[in-house]
């Protein structure tokens, strides 16, 4: 018997049956990662400030109040989903219940937004850098969710873009130097104070980088990391996040 042939064809059949022809969330037959029913359950961040992607209520391209007062230090911000409903549920399940299987559908949705933005008109960044959790939190949870997500993001872009895919290292050049209270428990002012001296950058930084995080809340973490990356040599920093929350004060 030709075991080689048997194993590869059977494994491929099982793989196709398990993963490719099913929706990742509800397991209904689907040629895409998500069936149309599950895709419709996400709240897309369509009404947002063009600079910082903060969800806004107007139906025009109005820049939000905060960006009018002071423009963000990053150059591009892409945040396809609102942090609520199904998105919030899946990200919490990944973070607190180790349900890593939900990373793929969220990263697929982010990649769709990235392809729509960069397409043939904008140059892709040449390096993906993720915002890491503190070593203590990683130890508590057993993994760093942003690193897992960034790895999935890199693998997906590698399949789509081949040689054009940005470089990626599992060791983020951004290091967290002190443990801080969870950002969502603090006011905007406290959050900014809280960021001072929390992160540092070690290692080579490309001229055009993509800075990845799972959720963008006030934006203060990503703003301080952008400033550090620019100090370390980046000329352009593009923010890539799965979801954006509106400010508490909005
Ligand atoms: Zn589904
Ligand atoms: Zn804004």
């Amino acid at each position: 018997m030709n075991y080689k042939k048997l194993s590869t064809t059977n494994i491929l059949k099982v793989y196709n049956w398990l993963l490719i022809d099913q929706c990742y969330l509800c397991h209904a037959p689907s040629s895409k990662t998500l069936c149309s029913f599950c895709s419709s359950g996400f709240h897309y961040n369509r009404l947002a400030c063009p600079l910082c992607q903060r969800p806004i209520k107007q139906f025009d391209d109005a820049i939000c109040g905060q960006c009018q007062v002071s423009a963000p230090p990053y150059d591009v911000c892409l945040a396809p989903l609102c942090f609520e409903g199904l998105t919030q549920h899946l990200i919490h399940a990944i973070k607190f219940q180790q349900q890593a299987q939900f990373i793929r559908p969220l990263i697929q949705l982010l990649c769709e937004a990235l392809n729509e933005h960069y397409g043939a008109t904008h140059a892709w960044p040449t390096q993906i850098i993720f915002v890491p959790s503190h070593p203590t939190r990683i130890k508590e949870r057993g993994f760093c969710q942003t690193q897992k997500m960034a790895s999935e993001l890199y693998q997906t872009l590698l399949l789509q873009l081949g040689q054009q895919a940005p470089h990626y290292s599992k060791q983020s050049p951004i290091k967290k130097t002190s443990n801080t209270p969870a950002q969502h428990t603090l006011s905007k002012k406290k959050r900014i104070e809280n960021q001072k001296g929390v992160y540092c950058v070690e290692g080579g930084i490309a001229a055009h980088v993509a800075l990845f995080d799972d959720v963008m809340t006030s934006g203060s973490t990503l703003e301080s990391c952008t400033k550090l990356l620019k100090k370390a040599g980046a000329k352009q920093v593009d923010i890539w996040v799965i979801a954006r929350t509106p400010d508490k004060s909005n």
Side-chain angles (χ1 to χ4, degrees):
M1 189 181 285
N2 187 341
Y3 286 102
K4 213 173 173 186
K5 190 168 183 288
L6 178 81
S7 60
T8 45
T9 45
N10 277 354
I11 286 169
L12 207 65
K13 259 189 211 163
V14 172
Y15 181 76
N16 281 341
W17 177 69
L18 281 175
L19 298 171
I20 297 185
D21 296 331
Q22 285 189 23
C23 169
Y24 237 76
L25 293 181
C26 71
H27 306 294
S30 170
S31 58
K32 293 183 173 176
T33 310
L34 292 173
C35 70
S36 52
F37 177 78
C38 288
S39 324
S40 68
F42 289 93
H43 295 179
Y44 294 89
N45 187 18
R46 293 204 175 96
L47 277 180
C49 166
L51 297 184
C52 72
Q53 292 296 304
R54 182 176 276 110
I56 50 174
K57 292 178 184 80
Q58 296 96 321
F59 275 90
D60 53 29
D61 265 355
I63 290 169
C64 76
Q66 299 217 20
C67 288
Q68 284 179 34
V69 174
S70 119
Y74 43 77
D75 301 273
V76 168
C77 182
L78 300 168
L81 299 169
C82 289
F83 189 60
E84 57 191 14
L86 184 56
T87 305
Q88 190 174 22
H89 178 79
L90 295 181
I91 289 177
H92 280 173
I94 295 164
K95 242 179 186 167
F96 305 115
Q97 294 155 21
Q98 285 80 41
Q99 306 258 17
Q101 74 273 21
F102 296 142
I103 291 174
R104 181 168 287 189
L106 292 170
I107 291 299
Q108 288 288 332
L109 292 172
L110 174 61
C111 283
E112 281 173 21
L114 299 181
N115 281 305
E116 200 177 300
H117 173 81
Y118 293 99
T121 50
H122 296 89
W124 285 83
T126 56
Q127 185 180 16
I128 302 173
I129 294 173
F130 62 93
V131 179
S133 306
H134 190 275
T136 313
R137 299 249 164 82
I138 296 171
K139 215 175 169 188
E140 277 165 14
R141 290 177 189 156
F143 69 105
C144 171
Q145 84 274 0
T146 45
Q147 190 243 332
K148 275 200 175 188
M149 288 169 170
S151 294
E152 176 74 30
L153 176 61
Y154 168 67
Q155 292 299 334
T156 310
L157 290 179
L158 197 60
L159 280 176
Q160 292 175 357
L161 304 171
Q163 294 291 313
Q164 302 297 311
H167 293 278
Y168 164 73
S169 163
K170 281 187 176 178
Q171 297 297 319
S172 179
I174 298 177
K175 311 277 179 225
K176 203 162 188 185
T177 54
S178 66
N179 208 359
T180 53
Q183 284 290 85
H184 64 267
T185 61
L186 306 169
S187 69
K188 167 99 182 171
K189 201 179 160 210
K190 281 262 166 62
R191 276 175 194 178
I192 291 167
E193 280 171 16
N194 196 30
Q195 292 310 307
K196 285 180 187 161
V198 169
Y199 295 97
C200 66
V201 170
E202 291 168 6
I205 303 299
H208 184 189
V209 305
L211 179 57
F212 171 80
D213 205 351
D214 52 355
V215 181
M216 184 173 184
T217 306
S218 71
S220 50
T221 298
L222 288 158
E223 284 181 22
S224 49
C225 289
T226 298
K227 286 176 187 166
L228 287 174
L229 290 172
K230 290 202 168 179
K231 261 192 199 161
K235 299 276 175 284
Q236 182 173 340
V237 177
D238 297 1
I239 303 295
W240 293 358
V241 292
I242 294 167
R244 182 77 157 99
T245 51
D247 280 349
K248 287 225 168 75
S249 54
N250 275 5

